[in-house]
Amino acid sequence: MKKVNLADLVRERKFLFFGGKGGVGKTTMAAATATWLADSGKDTLIVATDPTVSLSTTYEQNISETDATKIDTVENLCGLNINPKKATGVFQGRLEGMMQNFTNLFGSDVVSTPCAEEMAAFDQFVSYLQDSNYDHVVFDTAPTGHTLRELSMPFDWSGYMTTQIENRKELSAVMGFNADEEMLEHLKKEKKRYDKAVNSLSDERISAFNLVLLPEKLPIEETARAINDLSQFGIQVQALIVNELIPPDVLKGNWFLERRRATQEKYLQEIEARFNSMLKKDIPLFETDIYGVENLRKVAGFLYDQ
Ligand SMILES: Nc1ncnc2c1ncn2[C@@H]1O[C@H](COP(=O)(O)OP(=O)(O)OP(=O)(O)O)[C@@H](O)[C@H]1O
Ligand SMILES: [Mg+2]
């Protein structure tokens, strides 16, 4: 893949994902990116896809779990915290209806429902992948290969049920299943909607997957695994953000800091060698933690060279 710079990569994609191990800086990078895009005049939405208060903390204001909330301190920016416990999607509702009918017909032993919470979260996620209100939608957490695998379950189920129902049409008619033809059609439509959304995840012209990591052994291994897992779904990770580098000018002969920086250097070389073809960006460790728009703009300055 041709190397571009991170600013162009981000500016030219509608959907931006930030994945990585716990605590490496995903929310920080997503929020800095969303702020930067909004500051450049683009209508931007930042979505947290796991139940967390982190977006609200980062922007120092309450952010809704149901509707996009205008961020007071940044023009053109809205935020949303998806809470899977509260989200119930159309697809899920339909599928549960079908399940109920199947359970009535064949008994509950034969039928088990796919993980409702994950389906509900994905349902919401899908609806934002079809968004037409914003120039950019930034997702604070990228789906992992593991999530995508689990989420393929409902699709298997809908395919399975479609075949079953078609095979058993005669039996179904006798047993009063006719009324569900409409539901079946609807389910097929929903499945198409899902398939389209999943395809847009792997379309490099529309979506950019970025992974955040620290220059340390475990995050590097996790990154390698994530890249590999995602590639099995046709998703190519496009950029790595290496976070929390100790700036050389603070060392000043301090043995502890020098030792840590030397360790980071070693891992930076490993990152360069192992993820050779990928776009990379180093972000320094700040002297404080990062929240609030002022700090996010500083991070954006490093991310996007401005
Ligand atoms: N470059 C940095 N310098 C200083 N502090 C940082 C830096 N990057 C992130 N932090 C701080 O590290 C903590 C973790 O960052 P963040 O919440 O962005 O990680 P995360 O990957 O989203 O975590 P989680 O997996 O819990 O969602 C936060 O307190 C944040 O302020
Ligand atoms: Mg986070």
Side-chain angles (χ1 to χ4, degrees):
M1 191 174 63
K2 193 170 110 323
K3 278 195 195 182
V4 288
N5 71 47
L6 194 62
D8 288 340
L9 177 80
V10 163
R11 255 195 299 255
E12 288 160 17
R13 305 297 183 289
K14 169 138 188 186
F15 302 115
L16 302 157
F17 297 91
F18 292 85
K21 210 170 142 39
V24 292
K26 299 178 290 294
T27 303
T28 305
M29 300 310 154
T33 300
T35 306
W36 179 70
L37 287 166
D39 283 345
S40 76
K42 300 290 182 187
D43 278 325
T44 306
L45 173 70
I46 178 164
V47 184
T49 46
D50 53 352
T52 156
V53 294
S54 54
L55 265 194
S56 304
T57 313
T58 302
Y59 284 107
E60 302 176 288
Q61 77 173 64
N62 206 23
I63 291 178
S64 163
E65 289 179 341
T66 47
D67 303 298
T69 309
K70 179 101 197 56
I71 306 291
D72 299 331
T73 44
V74 187
E75 222 176 301
N76 312 317
L77 183 61
C78 290
L80 177 75
N81 269 321
I82 293 181
N83 182 341
K85 288 205 168 70
K86 290 196 183 158
T88 344
V90 188
F91 186 77
Q92 190 195 8
R94 292 283 161 186
L95 197 58
E96 275 171 3
M98 294 284 276
M99 288 293 187
Q100 195 51 52
N101 277 320
F102 257 79
T103 309
N104 294 343
L105 266 179
F106 307 119
S108 58
D109 305 352
V110 202
V111 186
S112 76
T113 321
C115 175
E117 234 177 73
E118 278 195 319
M119 279 176 62
F122 197 64
D123 225 346
Q124 284 265 320
F125 184 69
V126 165
S127 68
Y128 285 97
L129 281 176
Q130 293 170 318
D131 160 85
S132 54
N133 296 324
Y134 297 93
D135 297 316
H136 298 278
V137 184
V138 180
F139 294 90
D140 155 301
T141 306
T144 60
H146 173 74
T147 326
L148 291 171
R149 229 177 327 274
E150 297 219 333
L151 289 165
S152 64
M153 252 172 57
F155 306 138
D156 295 347
W157 264 107
S158 74
Y160 169 77
M161 286 190 297
T162 309
T163 325
Q164 287 290 307
I165 289 178
E166 271 160 10
N167 287 348
R168 288 165 191 263
K169 258 198 181 126
E170 283 176 31
L171 174 67
S172 302
V174 178
M175 300 190 77
F177 221 81
N178 279 348
D180 289 318
E181 282 292 326
E182 199 187 321
M183 185 189 268
L184 181 62
E185 277 311 307
H186 195 106
L187 190 65
K188 278 186 189 160
K189 260 196 219 134
E190 287 296 309
K191 184 171 158 27
K192 270 209 193 107
R193 187 173 79 98
Y194 267 54
D195 288 346
K196 210 170 151 218
V198 173
N199 286 340
S200 75
L201 286 182
S202 55
D203 188 337
E204 286 182 28
R205 292 162 306 174
I206 309 175
S207 303
F209 265 70
N210 310 300
L211 293 179
V212 187
L213 72 159
L214 307 181
E216 292 172 14
K217 189 159 192 61
L218 294 184
I220 291 176
E221 293 308 330
E222 183 107 351
T223 300
R225 195 170 36 234
I227 291 171
N228 188 35
D229 264 9
L230 287 166
S231 76
Q232 289 174 15
F233 288 86
I235 296 169
Q236 299 306 320
V237 172
Q238 297 183 46
L240 297 183
I241 296 161
V242 188
N243 193 18
E244 298 190 2
L245 277 162
I246 297 171
D249 57 334
V250 306
L251 302 178
K252 299 196 170 114
N254 180 307
W255 71 267
F256 180 85
L257 290 178
E258 277 180 352
R259 186 78 186 271
R260 276 224 68 114
R261 174 72 205 191
T263 310
Q264 292 190 334
E265 288 292 345
K266 184 183 88 175
Y267 287 121
L268 281 176
Q269 282 172 19
E270 185 176 336
I271 290 167
E272 199 46 57
R274 281 176 73 171
F275 311 112
N276 179 266
S277 64
M278 230 164 264
L279 187 62
K280 280 168 232 82
K281 198 81 201 172
D282 296 344
I283 304 298
L285 176 67
F286 280 44
E287 66 268 36
T288 64
D289 57 349
I290 297 168
Y291 64 90
V293 172
E294 211 173 296
N295 270 328
L296 292 175
R297 289 192 171 122
K298 275 193 210 154
V299 175
F302 286 101
L303 279 169
Y304 303 111
D305 301 315
Q306 267 151 20

